[in-house]
Amino acid sequence: MKVIVIDDEKSKRITMCDALKKAGYDSESFESPIAAMNYFEQYGADILITDIRMTGMDGFDVLQKVKSLNQRTSVIMITAYGTIQSAVEAMKMGAYDYITKPFSSDHLVHLVNKLAMYKKLEEENLNLKRKLQERYSFHNLIGKSKVMQELYDQLDTISKTDMAVLIEGESGTGKEVVANAIHYNSNRKDKPFIKLSCAVLNESILESELFGHVKGAFTGAYKDKKGRFESANEGTLFLDDVDDIPLSFQVKLLRVLQEKEFERVGGNTPIKVNVRIICASKIDLWEKVQRNEFREDLYYRIRVIPIRLPALRERKEDIPLLIDHFIKKIGREEVKFSPDSIEVLSEMDWHGNVRQLENAVNRIVAFSGSNLIKKEMIPEDILCKKEKHLPLSFNGYDSICLEKIVEELEASAVIWALQKAGGNQSKAAKFLNIKRTTFRDKMLKYKISEKS
Ligand SMILES: Nc1ncnc2c1ncn2[C@@H]1O[C@H](COP(=O)(O)OP(=O)(O)OP(=O)(O)O)[C@@H](O)[C@H]1O
Ligand SMILES: [Mg+2]
């Protein structure tokens, strides 16, 4: 720990400096406060001990200068009986303590030891706080829940490898943010990060997007074109909506992943690439494998490391933190949500997950016209989503899983009818215009009980 001593009385200064050195401090002493300040500006110090009455600059000037340069340097004032009052003033201005002349070297060392211990604790505390804060986020991911903290640890490890990652999670859970975080935390971070959404792309478009094509390969291929695999060379290729890749194309993708080599469409020169693959799926891909809609061999090839992103309703404790994050993201730090508004938003199920919450926060902030958002200012339709299991429109979605949407709708309708019919299945079936037996089948399918 570095200590600077300033005192114009030579013998006193040398005694202090020697005693501190003996006690293990790296200490420097100065007669002139100006010389001391020049030294401080250049090398800094943890602790500075200064006389009050000096020529050139007094102890107050020194204190002010030190604090303006580094708040964390602690200052001890040396004072004679007659100037105790000014030492007290100095403490008000931020000095740590004062020591009254005459004092023994032991006394001074004792005081500095106490201060050094305090500073060490303060430093440790700061480090812990920093660490704690780190765990509240990872790149652009926010969340302090246990699942998120575990995810950050997992992402840290994954980023150091080149293995293929499959990210599974409902829409809006942050799959793309995770893919970015892996790439930008990896050794490939200075190389390209290329994304391709495989949703709604037919086989031939997918093929030319991924592998590129040569001039004349098909009608409209006016010139040679690089594919995403080539563009991503030495970097990362993020295949979003991998669950949408047509079965017929899957074998071609598998071949490239195995051989790390391909040809452009219409070309016959083999191209070698070194690409890390990250895939994302909004449904449980294994279910597709079981339905023979996704090749099992490709599944294992892309799922070397699986990541399952939790739905927002599984980590509701992160909602307040996320609200805060989104306010900052749109540069409206001055806006605060009242505790009851946070509570009501935290209780909702957010079937559109983080994306839906982000859109809601943006809307509330934009339209409230106030810097304090109260519960009453949250629009009805945002709150209604608590009951409605479906987004009212699909704006803002890159893609949707029709099957899942239909199932969710069906399940909600069954619950609605049952509640309306007070648990009477025949009556509930009538509300939906379906047969009682069909109604019963749907209840079983969605594991809905009569008390729902
Ligand atoms: N943990 C998180 N912390 C902060 N922001 C997040 C988090 N997760 C998601 N977001 C934000 O939510 C939005 C949706 O995230 P993202 O696009 O990564 O979701 P997704 O899982 O890829 O959704 P989809 O399946 O619909 O493509 C983005 O604006 C993203 O910044
Ligand atoms: Mg996405």
Side-chain angles (χ1 to χ4, degrees), residues 331-346:
R332 295 288 304 273
E333 287 86 347
E334 70 282 6
V335 176
K336 294 274 168 294
F337 278 60
S338 70
D340 61 352
S341 67
I342 291 185
E343 202 183 314
V344 82
L345 294 175
S346 299

Side-chain angles (χ1 to χ4, degrees), residues 140-142 171-177 329 354-355 358:
N140 290 324
L141 286 166
I142 304 290
S171 190
T173 44
K175 297 185 290 296
E176 190 161 346
V177 191
K329 198 169 162 185
V354 187
R355 179 184 291 112
E358 180 171 7

Side-chain angles (χ1 to χ4, degrees), residues 53-99:
R53 241 183 249 157
M54 296 177 296
T55 41
M57 268 174 115
D58 68 10
F60 284 97
D61 299 332
V62 169
L63 174 64
Q64 259 175 349
K65 174 103 186 163
V66 167
K67 288 288 168 188
S68 70
L69 290 171
N70 188 351
Q71 276 288 339
R72 299 172 48 74
T73 300
S74 306
V75 180
I76 297 175
M77 315 297 283
I78 304 172
T79 166
Y81 267 118
T83 52
I84 286 183
Q85 191 49 43
S86 43
V88 173
E89 285 301 312
M91 281 180 70
K92 282 189 196 149
M93 285 169 55
Y96 168 76
D97 205 347
Y98 63 89
I99 184 164

Side-chain angles (χ1 to χ4, degrees), residues 64-302:
Q64 259 175 349
K65 174 103 186 163
V66 167
K67 288 288 168 188
S68 70
L69 290 171
N70 188 351
Q71 276 288 339
R72 299 172 48 74
T73 300
S74 306
V75 180
I76 297 175
M77 315 297 283
I78 304 172
T79 166
Y81 267 118
T83 52
I84 286 183
Q85 191 49 43
S86 43
V88 173
E89 285 301 312
M91 281 180 70
K92 282 189 196 149
M93 285 169 55
Y96 168 76
D97 205 347
Y98 63 89
I99 184 164
T100 321
K101 284 187 209 173
F103 53 84
S104 67
S105 297
D106 281 351
H107 186 173
L108 176 77
V109 170
H110 178 72
L111 183 64
V112 172
N113 280 345
K114 210 171 79 183
L115 173 56
M117 172 89 83
Y118 168 78
K119 287 179 82 70
K120 220 176 118 206
L121 285 175
E122 194 183 47
E123 186 66 31
E124 275 174 17
N125 198 359
L126 206 76
N127 281 340
L128 280 175
K129 256 197 195 143
R130 249 184 238 136
K131 269 203 187 120
L132 211 64
Q133 264 163 9
E134 262 170 28
R135 301 331 279 172
Y136 281 17
S137 64
F138 184 91
H139 288 254
N140 290 324
L141 286 166
I142 304 290
K144 60 173 181 165
S145 53
K146 194 157 167 276
V147 266
M148 290 306 279
Q149 309 242 9
E150 283 167 2
L151 176 70
Y152 304 153
D153 288 342
Q154 194 190 5
L155 291 179
D156 240 343
T157 321
I158 290 173
S159 304
K160 309 281 174 297
T161 75
D162 261 344
M163 292 182 219
V165 181
L166 173 64
I167 310 166
E168 286 172 318
E170 290 177 13
S171 190
T173 44
K175 297 185 290 296
E176 190 161 346
V177 191
V178 167
N180 269 283
I182 296 174
H183 173 76
Y184 288 104
N185 197 41
S186 77
N187 293 334
R188 295 174 179 257
K189 64 173 180 290
D190 299 321
K191 303 287 183 208
F193 176 78
I194 304 287
K195 176 193 158 176
L196 178 69
S197 168
C198 306
V200 298
L201 294 185
N202 67 30
E203 183 175 348
S204 55
I205 298 180
L206 248 181
E207 189 166 16
S208 111
E209 282 297 331
L210 281 175
F211 308 139
H213 57 247
V214 297
K215 185 177 164 185
F218 47 83
T219 338
Y222 299 118
K223 51 181 182 181
D224 288 1
K225 188 182 162 223
K226 241 192 200 180
R228 310 282 167 119
F229 263 104
E230 267 181 87
S231 306
N233 196 19
E234 295 190 6
T236 305
L237 177 61
F238 173 44
L239 296 179
D240 204 359
D241 305 299
V242 73
D243 46 298
D244 284 329
I245 295 185
L247 202 51
S248 51
F249 185 70
Q250 291 173 13
V251 65
K252 290 185 187 159
L253 180 61
L254 178 70
R255 209 201 93 205
V256 178
L257 297 185
Q258 277 169 343
E259 291 164 19
K260 299 181 172 53
E261 198 179 272
F262 60 91
E263 291 99 40
R264 286 184 181 175
V265 176
N268 47 22
T269 325
I271 300 170
K272 260 204 149 355
V273 282
N274 164 8
V275 170
R276 189 209 190 141
I277 301 287
I278 302 179
C279 295
S281 168
K282 57 199 162 310
I283 55 168
D284 180 353
L285 205 52
W286 179 241
E287 282 182 10
K288 271 208 136 178
V289 174
Q290 286 179 320
R291 291 200 300 267
N292 293 325
E293 290 164 11
F294 202 90
R295 292 180 67 104
E296 190 169 358
D297 44 10
L298 179 60
Y299 174 79
Y300 286 117
R301 177 65 57 176
I302 60 173

Side-chain angles (χ1 to χ4, degrees), residues 62 85 194 208 295 320 324 331 353 366 384 409 433 437 443:
V62 169
Q85 191 49 43
I194 304 287
S208 111
R295 292 180 67 104
D324 218 42
N353 295 299
C384 280
L409 181 65
N433 286 314
T437 44
M443 279 177 67

